[in-house]
């Protein structure tokens, strides 16, 4: 049975409930026994454990080696760390340029 990682676990739980899943109702956990009760959903076809990003380290099906491989694949794809200073600096420059362009446009309209 899968563990799911999402940026929006409460929304995911709500969607599962709307499809008939019993979530956070202390349903018996046959397979995902380490899933926190408030993140556990039972469906007719199986079980799901929904984790938010802050709880990712508690997942049991994804190992530290899996996370390292994922980060390495992101580094290789972007040419630098996806979470590194280069990316943040680039975003800052882009935001600053956009603000300056908006200010220049606003002044030109006056």
């Amino acid at each position: 049975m899968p563990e799911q990682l999402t940026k929006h676990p409460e929304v995911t739980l709500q969607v599962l409930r709307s499809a008939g899943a019993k979530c956070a109702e202390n349903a018996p956990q046959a397979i995902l026994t380490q899933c926190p009760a408030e993140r556990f959903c039972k469906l007719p076809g199986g079980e799901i454990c929904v984790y938010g990003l802050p709880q990712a380290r508690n997942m049991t099906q994804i190992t530290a080696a899996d996370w390292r491989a994922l980060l390495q694949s992101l580094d290789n794809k972007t040419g630098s760390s996806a979470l590194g200073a280069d990316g943040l600096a680039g975003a800052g420059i882009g935001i600053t340029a956009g603000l300056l362009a908006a200010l220049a446009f606003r002044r030109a309209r006056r």
Side-chain angles (χ1 to χ4, degrees):
M1 297 293 107
E3 292 178 328
Q4 299 294 313
L5 179 63
T6 176
K7 191 172 182 178
H8 305 286
E10 297 307 321
V11 173
T12 302
L13 291 168
Q14 182 180 354
V15 169
L16 288 166
R17 282 185 196 105
S18 75
K22 295 188 184 315
C23 299
E25 295 181 13
N26 293 321
Q29 295 175 232
I31 298 170
L32 297 174
T33 58
Q34 294 182 3
C35 180
E38 69 274 8
R39 298 286 180 214
F40 178 77
C41 294
K42 181 85 169 180
L43 293 121
E47 302 174 354
I48 295 177
C49 188
V50 180
Y51 288 94
L53 293 176
Q55 296 83 36
R57 67 178 39 227
N58 299 332
M59 296 177 77
T60 62
Q61 296 175 353
I62 299 178
T63 66
D66 294 327
W67 290 115
R68 283 191 293 275
L70 175 62
L71 288 174
Q72 181 65 40
S73 71
L74 292 173
D75 286 347
N76 290 340
K77 185 175 181 178
T78 63
S80 65
S81 175
L83 303 175
D86 291 344
L88 292 175
I93 290 170
I95 290 170
T96 302
L99 288 172
L100 290 174
L103 288 172
F105 179 75
R106 183 175 171 190
R107 283 187 181 207
R109 293 188 70 199
R110 286 185 180 180

XYZ file of all heavy atoms in Angstrom:
805
model
N 0.838 -1.172 0.000
C 0.000 0.000 0.000
C 0.886 1.239 0.000
O 1.954 1.239 0.592
C -0.899 0.010 1.237
C -1.870 -1.149 1.313
S -3.150 -1.144 0.062
C -2.600 -2.453 -1.001
N 0.437 2.289 -0.642
C 1.331 3.441 -0.836
C 1.291 4.487 0.270
O 0.271 4.708 0.925
C 0.796 4.053 -2.133
C -0.650 3.742 -2.117
C -0.766 2.390 -1.443
N 2.449 5.080 0.435
C 2.552 6.325 1.177
C 2.556 7.420 0.122
O 3.186 7.277 -0.928
C 3.863 6.390 1.965
C 3.941 5.408 3.097
C 5.273 5.480 3.828
O 6.299 5.783 3.203
O 5.272 5.220 5.018
N 1.828 8.497 0.366
C 1.744 9.602 -0.581
C 2.345 10.849 0.041
O 2.066 11.160 1.203
C 0.294 9.875 -0.961
C -0.397 8.707 -1.620
C 0.195 8.371 -2.973
O 0.414 9.234 -3.793
N 0.451 7.096 -3.191
N 3.143 11.578 -0.724
C 3.737 12.830 -0.272
C 3.129 13.962 -1.080
O 3.108 13.912 -2.311
C 5.254 12.805 -0.470
C 6.008 14.058 -0.051
C 5.864 14.318 1.449
C 7.484 13.919 -0.418
N 2.617 14.964 -0.394
C 1.966 16.075 -1.074
C 2.227 17.377 -0.333
O 2.454 17.374 0.882
C 0.445 15.842 -1.181
O -0.162 16.991 -1.777
C -0.192 15.599 0.167
N 2.177 18.450 -1.059
C 2.315 19.771 -0.457
C 1.041 20.156 0.306
O 1.065 21.006 1.172
C 2.607 20.784 -1.569
C 3.022 22.138 -1.085
C 3.469 23.005 -2.246
C 3.947 24.356 -1.778
N 4.427 25.172 -2.881
N -0.060 19.504 -0.034
C -1.359 19.840 0.552
C -2.045 18.585 1.110
O -3.043 18.105 0.550
C -2.248 20.511 -0.497
C -1.614 21.699 -1.129
N -1.477 22.901 -0.479
C -1.040 21.856 -2.339
C -0.862 23.761 -1.267
N -0.583 23.152 -2.398
N -1.561 18.060 2.236
C -2.127 16.809 2.747
C -3.587 16.921 3.175
O -4.358 15.976 2.986
C -1.225 16.462 3.937
C -0.593 17.752 4.333
C -0.467 18.555 3.068
N -3.991 18.054 3.722
C -5.388 18.190 4.158
C -6.345 18.136 2.969
O -7.421 17.538 3.059
C -5.578 19.479 4.963
C -4.776 19.524 6.255
C -4.993 18.326 7.161
O -6.145 17.846 7.264
O -4.016 17.855 7.767
N -5.960 18.746 1.872
C -6.792 18.706 0.665
C -6.845 17.277 0.129
O -7.909 16.790 -0.265
C -6.255 19.684 -0.409
C -7.011 19.523 -1.719
C -6.338 21.117 0.092
N -5.714 16.599 0.139
C -5.676 15.208 -0.330
C -6.583 14.330 0.515
O -7.346 13.516 -0.013
C -4.232 14.680 -0.298
O -3.421 15.522 -1.112
C -4.158 13.252 -0.799
N -6.520 14.499 1.833
C -7.397 13.727 2.716
C -8.869 14.033 2.432
O -9.714 13.129 2.415
C -7.057 14.016 4.183
C -5.709 13.469 4.659
C -5.349 14.052 6.020
C -5.710 11.952 4.684
N -9.178 15.296 2.185
C -10.558 15.693 1.876
C -11.037 15.037 0.577
O -12.166 14.546 0.494
C -10.634 17.211 1.765
C -12.015 17.736 1.501
C -12.031 19.260 1.393
O -11.043 19.931 1.615
N -13.178 19.797 1.048
N -10.184 15.008 -0.428
C -10.544 14.388 -1.708
C -10.762 12.885 -1.515
O -11.726 12.316 -2.045
C -9.460 14.666 -2.776
C -9.679 13.818 -4.014
C -9.438 16.142 -3.138
N -9.886 12.252 -0.748
C -10.060 10.822 -0.489
C -11.369 10.547 0.253
O -12.085 9.605 -0.079
C -8.867 10.288 0.305
C -7.561 10.161 -0.485
C -6.383 9.963 0.448
C -7.662 9.024 -1.490
N -11.679 11.389 1.236
C -12.954 11.236 1.961
C -14.143 11.375 1.010
O -15.125 10.634 1.109
C -13.066 12.274 3.071
C -12.275 11.951 4.293
C -12.544 12.982 5.402
N -11.545 12.900 6.422
C -10.541 13.767 6.598
N -10.436 14.831 5.834
N -9.665 13.596 7.543
N -14.052 12.333 0.090
C -15.161 12.551 -0.848
C -15.369 11.350 -1.763
O -16.454 11.167 -2.306
C -14.931 13.818 -1.671
O -13.943 13.608 -2.659
N -14.336 10.525 -1.913
C -14.446 9.320 -2.735
C -14.810 8.092 -1.903
O -14.803 6.971 -2.400
C -13.130 9.077 -3.465
N -15.101 8.322 -0.612
C -15.541 7.218 0.230
C -14.494 6.626 1.147
O -14.779 5.666 1.870
N -13.292 7.167 1.145
C -12.259 6.659 2.042
C -12.579 7.045 3.475
O -13.159 8.095 3.735
C -10.895 7.223 1.643
N -12.208 6.193 4.396
C -12.333 6.490 5.824
C -10.967 6.968 6.287
O -10.029 6.180 6.417
C -12.778 5.249 6.577
C -14.166 4.782 6.196
C -14.637 3.677 7.114
C -15.962 3.115 6.711
N -16.988 3.996 6.361
N -10.856 8.292 6.486
C -9.579 8.901 6.850
C -9.638 9.445 8.269
O -10.622 10.091 8.645
C -9.230 10.039 5.891
S -9.066 9.511 4.179
N -8.582 9.182 9.030
C -8.452 9.684 10.403
C -9.634 9.268 11.262
O -10.120 10.023 12.095
C -8.284 11.201 10.405
N -10.127 8.058 11.053
C -11.272 7.543 11.821
C -10.891 6.315 12.636
O -11.737 5.503 12.989
C -12.424 7.197 10.868
C -13.001 8.388 10.141
C -14.154 8.020 9.222
O -14.674 6.883 9.330
O -14.538 8.863 8.404
N -9.591 6.158 12.907
C -9.087 5.010 13.666
C -9.479 3.674 13.050
O -9.750 2.701 13.772
C -9.535 5.083 15.137
C -8.884 6.247 15.855
O -7.708 6.529 15.623
N -9.633 6.924 16.696
N -9.505 3.623 11.730
C -9.766 2.359 11.042
C -8.575 1.423 11.269
O -7.450 1.882 11.454
C -9.954 2.614 9.541
N -8.807 0.115 11.278
C -7.704 -0.821 11.497
C -6.654 -0.705 10.386
O -6.994 -0.638 9.215
C -8.369 -2.193 11.488
C -9.757 -1.992 11.017
C -10.091 -0.547 11.101
N -5.394 -0.677 10.803
C -4.281 -0.535 9.870
C -3.600 -1.894 9.717
O -2.817 -2.298 10.569
C -3.295 0.525 10.376
C -3.896 1.910 10.414
C -2.975 2.958 11.022
O -3.388 3.663 11.926
N -1.754 3.072 10.538
N -3.900 -2.575 8.614
C -3.358 -3.913 8.404
C -1.944 -3.886 7.816
O -1.112 -4.717 8.166
C -4.281 -4.699 7.479
N -1.663 -2.936 6.946
C -0.378 -2.904 6.252
C 0.440 -1.689 6.666
O 1.609 -1.814 7.040
C -0.584 -2.925 4.725
C -1.286 -4.228 4.326
C 0.737 -2.771 3.993
C -1.762 -4.277 2.914
N -0.146 -0.509 6.627
C 0.563 0.734 6.962
C 0.473 0.986 8.465
O -0.097 1.963 8.929
C -0.018 1.899 6.163
C 0.132 1.789 4.642
C -0.608 2.917 3.949
C 1.598 1.786 4.242
N 1.053 0.089 9.221
C 0.914 0.118 10.680
C 1.651 1.282 11.334
O 1.331 1.644 12.466
C 1.409 -1.202 11.289
O 2.777 -1.404 10.909
C 0.561 -2.372 10.800
N 2.628 1.877 10.651
C 3.375 2.998 11.225
C 2.833 4.355 10.791
O 3.349 5.393 11.189
C 4.859 2.882 10.863
C 5.494 1.672 11.505
C 6.969 1.576 11.201
O 7.544 2.435 10.550
N 7.593 0.517 11.674
N 1.785 4.357 10.013
C 1.171 5.606 9.559
C 0.459 6.276 10.729
O -0.306 5.624 11.449
C 0.171 5.323 8.441
S -0.651 6.787 7.797
N 0.695 7.587 10.916
C -0.058 8.290 11.970
C -1.563 8.195 11.697
O -2.006 8.347 10.550
C 0.430 9.735 11.855
C 1.734 9.657 11.119
C 1.629 8.464 10.223
N -2.341 7.940 12.721
C -3.788 7.734 12.564
C -4.458 8.896 11.845
O -5.379 8.697 11.045
C -4.437 7.508 13.926
N -3.996 10.130 12.084
C -4.614 11.296 11.448
C -4.271 11.419 9.964
O -4.854 12.227 9.255
C -4.241 12.583 12.197
C -2.795 12.978 12.084
C -1.876 12.328 13.115
O -2.321 11.432 13.860
O -0.694 12.719 13.151
N -3.340 10.604 9.473
C -2.935 10.624 8.060
C -3.322 9.338 7.324
O -3.020 9.175 6.161
C -1.414 10.810 7.946
C -0.914 12.101 8.527
C -1.269 13.223 7.622
N -0.805 14.493 8.153
C -1.443 15.618 7.991
N -2.581 15.624 7.336
N -0.979 16.732 8.465
N -3.972 8.432 8.023
C -4.296 7.118 7.479
C -5.678 7.097 6.850
O -6.639 7.601 7.429
C -4.236 6.067 8.596
C -4.602 4.691 8.147
C -3.707 3.921 7.436
C -5.857 4.168 8.430
C -4.048 2.641 7.015
C -6.207 2.898 8.015
C -5.302 2.134 7.302
N -5.771 6.504 5.665
C -7.058 6.331 4.981
C -7.229 4.867 4.595
O -6.301 4.217 4.097
C -7.128 7.175 3.712
S -7.129 8.947 3.997
N -8.425 4.384 4.810
C -8.788 3.014 4.443
C -9.826 3.082 3.333
O -10.822 3.793 3.437
C -9.376 2.308 5.671
C -9.767 0.893 5.449
C -8.585 0.000 5.642
C -9.030 -1.460 5.685
N -7.908 -2.336 5.876
N -9.537 2.372 2.247
C -10.456 2.277 1.111
C -10.800 0.809 0.897
O -10.077 -0.075 1.380
C -9.786 2.838 -0.151
C -9.526 4.333 -0.120
C -8.065 4.637 -0.278
C -10.345 4.988 -1.187
N -11.857 0.521 0.151
C -12.184 -0.887 -0.104
C -11.027 -1.651 -0.753
O -10.846 -2.840 -0.491
C -13.392 -0.805 -1.051
C -14.013 0.512 -0.744
C -12.863 1.423 -0.392
N -10.226 -0.956 -1.545
C -9.135 -1.633 -2.246
C -7.790 -1.565 -1.558
O -6.808 -2.096 -2.077
N -7.703 -0.915 -0.389
C -6.413 -0.853 0.277
C -6.291 0.313 1.233
O -7.290 0.890 1.671
N -5.049 0.652 1.529
C -4.739 1.693 2.498
C -3.836 2.747 1.862
O -3.053 2.439 0.967
C -3.993 1.085 3.705
C -4.772 -0.003 4.392
C -3.963 -0.682 5.490
O -2.754 -0.396 5.657
O -4.550 -1.521 6.181
N -3.925 3.972 2.360
C -3.065 5.070 1.917
C -2.660 5.863 3.156
O -3.483 6.109 4.038
C -3.780 6.007 0.914
C -4.095 5.275 -0.378
C -2.945 7.248 0.630
C -4.859 6.105 -1.393
N -1.404 6.277 3.174
C -0.920 7.160 4.223
C -0.483 8.456 3.536
O 0.340 8.432 2.622
C 0.253 6.525 4.968
S 0.741 7.472 6.418
N -1.053 9.565 3.948
C -0.806 10.857 3.299
C 0.120 11.701 4.172
O -0.231 12.032 5.305
C -2.133 11.614 3.058
C -1.871 12.945 2.379
C -3.090 10.763 2.228
N 1.280 12.030 3.629
C 2.261 12.858 4.340
C 2.365 14.227 3.691
O 2.328 14.353 2.466
C 3.649 12.208 4.294
C 3.795 10.985 5.157
C 3.597 9.710 4.638
C 4.142 11.105 6.495
C 3.745 8.586 5.430
C 4.289 9.978 7.298
C 4.094 8.726 6.754
O 4.237 7.618 7.546
N 2.539 15.239 4.513
C 2.878 16.568 4.029
C 4.390 16.696 3.972
O 5.119 15.867 4.532
N 4.884 17.725 3.323
C 6.327 17.894 3.186
C 7.061 17.890 4.532
O 8.109 17.250 4.635
C 6.632 19.171 2.404
C 6.207 19.135 0.926
C 6.472 20.480 0.268
C 6.901 18.025 0.180
N 6.535 18.550 5.574
C 7.263 18.527 6.851
C 7.377 17.127 7.464
O 8.255 16.883 8.268
C 6.440 19.440 7.758
C 5.674 20.313 6.835
C 5.391 19.468 5.621
N 6.494 16.217 7.089
C 6.526 14.865 7.633
C 7.261 13.870 6.731
O 7.312 12.680 7.019
C 5.102 14.342 7.867
C 4.316 15.098 8.908
C 3.665 16.341 8.338
O 3.229 16.365 7.205
N 3.625 17.392 9.145
N 7.860 14.335 5.654
C 8.495 13.445 4.679
C 9.535 12.537 5.327
O 9.674 11.375 4.942
C 9.119 14.253 3.549
N 10.256 13.051 6.312
C 11.291 12.234 6.954
C 10.713 11.051 7.712
O 11.428 10.108 8.033
C 12.164 13.075 7.863
C 11.436 13.617 9.079
C 12.292 14.422 10.041
N 13.240 15.258 9.360
C 14.529 15.339 9.704
N 14.985 14.683 10.714
N 15.336 16.116 9.030
N 9.411 11.057 7.995
C 8.771 9.959 8.718
C 8.286 8.846 7.798
O 7.821 7.810 8.287
C 7.585 10.480 9.532
C 8.015 11.501 10.561
O 9.140 11.468 11.041
N 7.135 12.422 10.878
N 8.372 9.060 6.504
C 7.913 8.038 5.561
C 8.789 6.798 5.686
O 9.995 6.892 5.905
C 7.944 8.584 4.136
C 6.970 9.738 3.927
S 7.052 10.467 2.283
C 6.164 9.226 1.346
N 8.182 5.622 5.562
C 8.929 4.378 5.709
C 9.272 3.723 4.371
O 10.134 2.867 4.324
C 8.135 3.367 6.561
O 6.901 3.061 5.894
C 7.845 3.922 7.945
N 8.612 4.129 3.298
C 8.837 3.496 2.007
C 9.880 4.211 1.162
O 10.316 3.679 0.142
C 7.517 3.400 1.237
C 6.508 2.513 1.931
C 5.155 2.515 1.236
O 4.903 3.257 0.304
N 4.259 1.658 1.712
N 10.277 5.418 1.561
C 11.305 6.165 0.841
C 12.500 6.300 1.781
O 12.378 6.838 2.881
C 10.794 7.547 0.398
C 9.606 7.375 -0.545
C 11.906 8.341 -0.277
C 8.985 8.662 -1.018
N 13.645 5.811 1.322
C 14.848 5.797 2.153
C 15.681 7.060 1.929
O 15.453 7.815 0.972
C 15.713 4.582 1.813
O 16.207 4.739 0.467
C 14.929 3.275 1.928
N 16.667 7.250 2.784
C 17.601 8.367 2.621
C 18.305 8.272 1.271
O 18.528 9.283 0.608
C 18.613 8.376 3.764
N 18.617 7.065 0.834
C 19.254 6.875 -0.469
C 18.319 7.318 -1.600
O 18.768 7.895 -2.594
C 19.663 5.413 -0.661
N 17.019 7.070 -1.457
C 16.043 7.521 -2.457
C 16.024 9.041 -2.544
O 15.988 9.616 -3.634
C 14.628 7.024 -2.120
C 14.490 5.523 -2.197
O 15.157 4.888 -3.034
O 13.683 4.982 -1.410
N 16.031 9.709 -1.374
C 16.025 11.179 -1.353
C 17.297 11.728 -1.995
O 17.238 12.691 -2.755
C 15.895 11.711 0.082
C 14.553 11.477 0.697
C 14.264 10.701 1.765
C 13.298 12.023 0.259
N 12.916 10.733 2.030
C 12.301 11.531 1.132
C 12.922 12.884 -0.769
C 10.952 11.879 1.000
C 11.576 13.221 -0.906
C 10.612 12.717 -0.034
N 18.455 11.115 -1.676
C 19.720 11.574 -2.280
C 19.682 11.419 -3.797
O 20.111 12.306 -4.526
C 20.902 10.813 -1.682
C 21.294 11.304 -0.295
C 22.618 10.714 0.148
N 22.546 9.283 0.360
C 22.138 8.697 1.485
N 21.750 9.427 2.505
N 22.117 7.392 1.584
N 19.156 10.296 -4.270
C 19.061 10.074 -5.714
C 18.139 11.106 -6.364
O 18.429 11.607 -7.453
C 18.565 8.654 -6.003
N 17.048 11.436 -5.693
C 16.134 12.446 -6.224
C 16.821 13.805 -6.315
O 16.748 14.485 -7.337
C 14.892 12.547 -5.341
C 13.904 13.652 -5.702
C 13.337 13.441 -7.099
C 12.800 13.737 -4.674
N 17.502 14.202 -5.239
C 18.213 15.483 -5.262
C 19.300 15.494 -6.324
O 19.500 16.499 -7.003
C 18.798 15.790 -3.878
C 17.772 16.161 -2.825
C 18.442 16.290 -1.468
C 17.045 17.433 -3.185
N 19.999 14.377 -6.479
C 21.035 14.291 -7.510
C 20.426 14.454 -8.899
O 20.962 15.154 -9.744
C 21.776 12.951 -7.409
C 22.871 12.782 -8.426
C 23.998 13.776 -8.243
O 24.383 14.063 -7.120
N 24.512 14.305 -9.323
N 19.261 13.844 -9.130
C 18.626 13.965 -10.452
C 18.188 15.407 -10.706
O 18.258 15.890 -11.833
C 17.441 13.011 -10.588
O 16.355 13.436 -9.794
N 17.756 16.111 -9.659
C 17.399 17.521 -9.820
C 18.635 18.356 -10.111
O 18.601 19.264 -10.935
C 16.688 18.041 -8.572
C 15.302 17.470 -8.305
C 14.793 17.937 -6.954
C 14.340 17.848 -9.403
N 19.741 18.073 -9.426
C 20.995 18.788 -9.671
C 21.452 18.590 -11.112
O 21.861 19.529 -11.777
C 22.101 18.311 -8.729
C 21.918 18.823 -7.308
O 21.088 19.735 -7.102
O 22.607 18.311 -6.422
N 21.372 17.356 -11.602
C 21.805 17.062 -12.970
C 20.911 17.733 -14.002
O 21.369 18.162 -15.048
C 21.816 15.551 -13.208
C 22.913 14.859 -12.434
O 23.889 15.482 -12.019
N 22.755 13.576 -12.214
N 19.635 17.815 -13.703
C 18.685 18.404 -14.653
C 18.860 19.910 -14.778
O 18.750 20.470 -15.853
C 17.255 18.080 -14.201
C 16.190 18.525 -15.174
C 14.833 18.058 -14.716
C 13.775 18.488 -15.715
N 12.458 18.026 -15.347
N 19.129 20.580 -13.656
C 19.211 22.034 -13.670
C 20.629 22.557 -13.849
O 20.829 23.732 -14.091
C 18.654 22.625 -12.364
O 19.468 22.179 -11.273
C 17.218 22.221 -12.138
N 21.624 21.700 -13.665
C 23.001 22.146 -13.789
C 23.537 22.719 -12.489
O 24.707 22.997 -12.359
N 22.673 22.935 -11.525
C 23.090 23.363 -10.187
C 22.033 22.910 -9.217
O 20.980 22.430 -9.611
C 23.256 24.884 -10.126
O 22.017 25.516 -10.312
N 22.292 23.065 -7.988
C 21.345 22.621 -6.979
C 20.016 23.342 -7.136
O 19.968 24.560 -7.198
C 21.903 22.870 -5.577
O 20.926 22.542 -4.624
N 18.947 22.592 -7.211
C 17.617 23.190 -7.344
C 17.271 24.022 -6.115
O 16.435 24.905 -6.177
C 16.578 22.095 -7.546
N 17.941 23.745 -5.008
C 17.658 24.463 -3.776
C 18.794 25.413 -3.422
O 18.808 25.976 -2.347
C 17.464 23.461 -2.625
C 16.377 22.415 -2.853
C 16.378 21.413 -1.709
C 15.027 23.070 -2.970
N 19.735 25.594 -4.340
C 20.935 26.358 -4.025
C 20.784 27.856 -4.174
O 19.761 28.379 -4.594
N 21.860 28.541 -3.821
C 21.877 29.999 -3.854
C 21.726 30.539 -5.274
O 21.144 31.598 -5.474
C 23.173 30.510 -3.229
N 22.249 29.816 -6.258
C 22.125 30.282 -7.646
C 20.665 30.431 -8.052
O 20.277 31.417 -8.676
C 22.816 29.310 -8.615
C 24.323 29.306 -8.473
O 24.860 30.253 -7.860
O 24.948 28.355 -8.963
N 19.852 29.443 -7.681
C 18.434 29.517 -8.013
C 17.735 30.653 -7.299
O 16.914 31.362 -7.875
N 18.066 30.853 -6.035
C 17.454 31.942 -5.276
C 17.889 33.297 -5.813
O 17.084 34.221 -5.911
C 17.817 31.822 -3.797
C 17.198 30.626 -3.069
C 17.730 30.549 -1.646
C 15.704 30.698 -3.083
N 19.162 33.427 -6.161
C 19.655 34.698 -6.708
C 18.969 34.996 -8.036
O 18.561 36.128 -8.298
C 21.166 34.647 -6.881
N 18.825 33.980 -8.865
C 18.148 34.179 -10.148
C 16.707 34.607 -9.969
O 16.214 35.489 -10.671
N 16.029 34.001 -9.012
C 14.643 34.386 -8.745
C 14.577 35.823 -8.246
O 13.695 36.593 -8.639
C 14.024 33.438 -7.717
N 15.509 36.190 -7.382
C 15.543 37.562 -6.862
C 15.777 38.576 -7.955
O 15.129 39.634 -7.991
N 16.670 38.272 -8.880
C 16.948 39.169 -9.997
C 15.707 39.305 -10.872
O 15.345 40.401 -11.293
C 18.161 38.672 -10.810
C 19.430 38.844 -9.969
C 18.273 39.400 -12.139
C 20.653 38.166 -10.555
N 15.033 38.176 -11.133
C 13.829 38.203 -11.957
C 12.720 39.033 -11.326
O 12.050 39.819 -12.003
N 12.531 38.877 -10.035
C 11.494 39.647 -9.336
C 11.839 41.129 -9.353
O 10.981 41.978 -9.619
C 11.320 39.131 -7.893
C 10.683 37.742 -7.943
C 10.487 40.086 -7.058
C 10.687 37.021 -6.614
N 13.099 41.455 -9.099
C 13.532 42.854 -9.104
C 13.338 43.474 -10.487
O 12.827 44.598 -10.606
C 15.006 42.965 -8.672
O 15.127 42.385 -7.357
C 15.480 44.404 -8.645
N 13.715 42.742 -11.524
C 13.556 43.262 -12.886
C 12.080 43.496 -13.204
O 11.714 44.506 -13.815
C 14.174 42.290 -13.890
N 11.226 42.573 -12.771
C 9.790 42.733 -13.001
C 9.227 43.952 -12.288
O 8.423 44.708 -12.846
N 9.650 44.165 -11.049
C 9.192 45.341 -10.300
C 9.663 46.636 -10.961
O 8.893 47.602 -11.061
C 9.686 45.278 -8.859
C 9.001 44.241 -7.973
C 9.711 44.147 -6.627
C 7.544 44.582 -7.776
N 10.913 46.667 -11.398
C 11.430 47.867 -12.060
C 10.675 48.147 -13.360
O 10.354 49.300 -13.664
C 12.927 47.726 -12.327
C 13.814 47.761 -11.076
C 15.262 47.452 -11.454
C 13.713 49.103 -10.379
N 10.383 47.100 -14.112
C 9.632 47.276 -15.355
C 8.226 47.801 -15.069
O 7.721 48.686 -15.771
C 9.570 45.961 -16.125
N 7.584 47.277 -14.027
C 6.239 47.734 -13.671
C 6.259 49.202 -13.243
O 5.377 49.981 -13.624
C 5.672 46.867 -12.556
N 7.269 49.591 -12.475
C 7.382 50.994 -12.052
C 7.616 51.918 -13.245
O 7.032 53.000 -13.329
C 8.509 51.158 -11.023
C 8.208 50.587 -9.637
C 9.465 50.635 -8.778
C 7.075 51.335 -8.972
N 8.466 51.485 -14.173
C 8.741 52.296 -15.364
C 7.473 52.439 -16.200
O 7.166 53.536 -16.695
C 9.849 51.658 -16.193
N 6.717 51.378 -16.353
C 5.472 51.410 -17.114
C 4.473 52.351 -16.436
O 3.807 53.149 -17.095
C 4.891 50.003 -17.230
C 3.589 49.948 -17.983
C 3.583 50.074 -19.362
C 2.397 49.781 -17.306
C 2.390 50.043 -20.048
C 1.194 49.738 -17.991
C 1.205 49.865 -19.371
N 4.404 52.288 -15.126
C 3.469 53.134 -14.374
C 3.827 54.613 -14.559
O 2.948 55.449 -14.754
C 3.504 52.744 -12.906
C 2.529 53.494 -12.058
C 2.549 52.971 -10.650
N 1.758 53.829 -9.800
C 1.718 53.751 -8.506
N 2.437 52.852 -7.898
N 0.982 54.572 -7.809
N 5.099 54.943 -14.491
C 5.532 56.341 -14.665
C 5.248 56.829 -16.090
O 4.884 57.958 -16.284
C 7.017 56.490 -14.361
C 7.294 56.490 -12.887
C 8.737 56.809 -12.635
N 8.950 56.779 -11.209
C 9.876 57.467 -10.607
N 10.712 58.210 -11.310
N 10.018 57.389 -9.309
N 5.436 55.950 -17.048
C 5.214 56.332 -18.447
C 3.738 56.625 -18.708
O 3.424 57.460 -19.558
C 5.697 55.219 -19.366
N 2.852 56.008 -17.980
C 1.421 56.218 -18.169
C 0.945 57.517 -17.536
O -0.137 58.001 -17.850
C 0.639 55.048 -17.582
C 0.874 53.768 -18.361
C -0.033 52.673 -17.914
N -1.403 52.992 -18.325
C -2.481 52.453 -17.806
N -2.368 51.574 -16.850
N -3.696 52.786 -18.221
N 1.713 58.098 -16.630
C 1.289 59.333 -15.942
C 1.401 60.494 -16.833
O 1.735 61.125 -17.508
C 2.141 59.569 -14.694
C 1.749 58.621 -13.593
C 2.519 58.979 -12.353
N 2.143 58.064 -11.279
C 2.647 58.132 -10.085
N 3.526 59.030 -9.792
N 2.276 57.289 -9.171
